[in-house]
């Protein structure tokens, strides 16, 4: 281990926590996982057993306070994120928090206040789409002006299935939150209002209101159409297309090869988010490690981005329940997040 290796502690060693630990220890460079914790101590111990030299802490607070932990990764359940991110800020340690930053906009604001009082950015939120090569190429085309000013954005977010624990608001707060973040980033604008319509229910989805169609507007009036279909069986399919004044640009279909047979032509569709965004997650972590280790200013998704996306989610849930357009009112953006 070199002197510059970043010593991280991971809070939450469930599905994505384990995937990020694999990434940190086997894929990206410059980091070592020196501590783990999970509410399920058995799982935490199993995960630690597969690591070179990791301490198992009884609580997330104890992990954050461990002097051997230089930076914290939060991959526990969403409702626990606020407590751990606030504790990491209080300890002055950089913290990478999986989405959501917190489960209400008020909780996100408490994080923003704490980080602003600290005086510099410590928090990065796990909106990995911003690190995906296809989304980055799409943003480049939008920013180049080649298709003119954007007018409409279509976002399709399709999961083959969801677990029984996936409840009625989750298509918005757990799934579409990624679409809200990525469209804010692609267009460089906030979303200011949202309507949500439930389509004829997919009979494969039990009692869920699925698919959902959400129509949001940006500050300048771009219409953003987000479709979530979370029981669509055929694969994990992420669509994105911007309609500009003089052209359109869309994420291309995936698959390294195109197969033509039996009168059909096709590419493979990823099975889940891990496969679809594997390279994006790798890039996200490599850039985060390099930035934190180098003592550089964080440039990835910020607490503000976590707050703004959560505000859209909160309004979306209200719109789903009430049926009307709900306005999204953000507080004034603190200077810390302006650049
Ligand atoms: P999971 O249930 O598989 O794992 C979460 C773990 O957190 C569990 O092992 C649980 O015991 C642990 N935990 C719960 N409360 C805790 C606490 N107070 N302290 C410590 N550990 C605690 O869930 P998951 O699918 O790994 O999701 C975890 C987080 O990652 C969620 O916020 C989820 O939204 C996010 N996520 C992001 C993506 C993405 O595409 N970026 C994909 C999947 C999940
Ligand atoms: C999951 O939590 C994720 O974040 C995935 O990216 C998303 O596609 C899925 O719908 C969520 O449940």
């Amino acid at each position: 281990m070199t002197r510059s290796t970043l010593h991280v502690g991971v809070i939450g060693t469930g599905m994505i926590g384990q995937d990020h630990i694999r990434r940190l220890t086997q894929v990206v460079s410059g980091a070592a996982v020196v501590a783990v914790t999970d509410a399920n101590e058995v799982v935490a111990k199993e995960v630690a057993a597969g690591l070179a030299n990791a301490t198992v802490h009884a609580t997330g607070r104890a992990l954050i306070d461990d002097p051997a932990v230089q930076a914290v990764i939060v991959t526990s359940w969403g409702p626990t994120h606020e407590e751990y991110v606030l504790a990491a800020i209080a300890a002055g340690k950089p913290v990478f928090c999986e989405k959501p930053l917190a489960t209400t906009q008020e909780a996100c604001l408490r994080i923003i206040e704490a980080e602003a009082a600290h005086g510099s950015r410590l928090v990065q939120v796990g909106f990995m789409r911003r690190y995906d090569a296809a989304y980055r190429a799409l943003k480049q085309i939008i920013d180049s002006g080649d298709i003119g000013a954007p007018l409409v954005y279509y976002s399709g977010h399709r999961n083959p299935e969801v677990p029984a624990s996936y409840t009625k608001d989750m298509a918005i707060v757990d799934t579409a939150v990624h679409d809200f973040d990525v469209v804010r980033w692609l267009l460089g604008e906030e979303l200011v209002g949202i309507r949500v319509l439930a389509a004829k229910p997919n009979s494969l989805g039990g009692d869920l209101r699925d698919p959902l169609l959400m129509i949001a507007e940006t500050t300048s009036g771009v219409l953003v159409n987000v479709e979530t279909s979370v029981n669509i069986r055929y694969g994990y399919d992420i669509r994105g297309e911007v309609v500009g004044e003089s052209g359109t640009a869309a994420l291309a279909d995936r698959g390294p090869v195109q197969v033509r047979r039996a009168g059909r032509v096709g590419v493979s569709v990823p099975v889940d988010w891990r496969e679809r965004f594997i390279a994006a997650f790798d890039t996200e972590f490599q850039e985060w490690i390099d930035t934190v280790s180098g003592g550089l200013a964080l440039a990835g998704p910020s607490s503000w981005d976590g707050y703004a996306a959560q505000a859209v989610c909160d309004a979306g849930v209200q719109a789903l329940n009430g049926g009307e357009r709900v306005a999204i009112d953000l507080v004034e953006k603190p200077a810390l997040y302006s650049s």
Side-chain angles (χ1 to χ4, degrees):
M1 201 179 293
T2 65
R3 274 172 65 85
S4 61
T5 300
L6 181 69
H7 291 184
V8 303
V10 178
I11 301 177
T13 52
M15 182 168 48
I16 206 166
Q18 291 181 30
D19 198 43
H20 287 339
I21 288 172
R22 173 195 61 77
R23 171 167 291 114
L24 289 160
T25 53
Q26 298 173 30
V27 184
V28 300
S29 60
V33 179
V34 299
V36 296
T37 186
D38 195 288
N40 182 340
E41 200 188 358
V42 176
V43 174
K45 284 184 172 161
E46 275 171 15
V47 169
L51 293 167
N53 199 5
T55 307
V56 179
H57 284 286
T59 65
R61 293 292 187 110
L63 179 144
I64 292 165
D65 290 342
D66 181 346
V69 171
Q70 297 171 319
V72 179
I73 294 177
V74 179
T75 45
S76 47
W77 292 329
T80 67
H81 292 184
E82 178 190 5
E83 176 190 350
Y84 294 138
V85 172
L86 286 174
I89 294 171
K93 296 188 181 182
V95 52
F96 177 98
C97 180
E98 258 308 335
K99 44 70 57 170
L101 173 61
T103 49
T104 64
Q105 58 190 299
E106 291 76 19
C108 293
L109 278 175
R110 288 191 282 275
I111 291 172
I112 285 180
E113 276 163 22
E115 198 179 32
H118 172 78
S120 64
R121 278 195 56 193
L122 287 172
V123 182
Q124 179 160 321
V125 184
F127 288 131
M128 76 296 182
R129 291 186 179 195
R130 297 179 181 212
Y131 298 86
D132 176 68
Y135 272 112
R136 285 185 165 184
L138 185 58
K139 180 162 176 57
Q140 239 175 10
I141 292 187
I142 295 170
D143 291 349
S144 73
D146 282 356
I147 59 168
L151 306 175
V152 176
Y153 185 78
Y154 293 100
S155 205
H157 193 151
R158 303 185 186 143
N159 289 210
E161 59 189 355
V162 286
S165 55
Y166 192 96
T167 49
K168 68 180 176 62
D169 297 342
M170 287 176 75
I172 298 173
V173 303
D174 189 58
T175 296
V177 64
H178 285 292
D179 303 76
F180 301 148
D181 176 68
V182 88
V183 77
R184 293 178 54 257
W185 175 72
L186 285 169
L187 301 177
E189 293 187 50
E190 298 296 355
L191 299 173
V192 296
I194 186 166
R195 293 176 183 80
V196 181
L197 298 171
K200 175 181 173 180
N202 183 339
S203 62
L204 302 171
D207 294 339
L208 278 184
R209 285 185 278 184
D210 170 52
L212 294 183
L213 208 57
M214 308 166 211
I215 301 171
E217 322 105 55
T218 69
T219 325
S220 76
V222 180
L223 284 186
V224 174
N225 182 340
V226 178
E227 169 224 322
T228 53
S229 293
V230 297
N231 290 285
I232 203 154
R233 296 297 188 267
Y234 76 88
Y236 183 82
D237 201 8
I238 300 300
R239 322 290 305 175
E241 180 176 24
V242 58
V243 178
E245 287 183 325
S246 55
T248 71
L251 302 176
D253 278 328
R254 316 285 301 173
V257 290
Q258 202 179 58
V259 178
R260 292 165 197 268
R261 64 178 290 278
R264 290 176 184 273
V265 52
V267 292
S268 62
V269 179
V271 294
D272 61 15
W273 47 268
R274 274 174 294 209
E275 180 186 345
R276 169 62 183 83
F277 288 110
I278 190 165
F281 282 120
D282 293 349
T283 306
E284 174 185 48
F285 270 93
Q286 191 63 70
E287 290 189 12
W288 180 71
I289 292 163
D290 294 346
T291 304
V292 172
S293 298
L296 306 170
L298 285 172
S302 66
S303 299
W304 177 264
D305 296 311
Y307 158 69
Q310 190 57 40
V312 185
C313 291
D314 289 354
V317 170
Q318 207 183 318
L320 174 63
N321 294 329
E324 300 297 325
R325 175 188 181 277
V326 174
I328 302 157
D329 294 315
L330 301 180
V331 299
E332 199 178 324
K333 194 174 187 173
L336 183 58
Y337 308 105
S338 291
S339 59

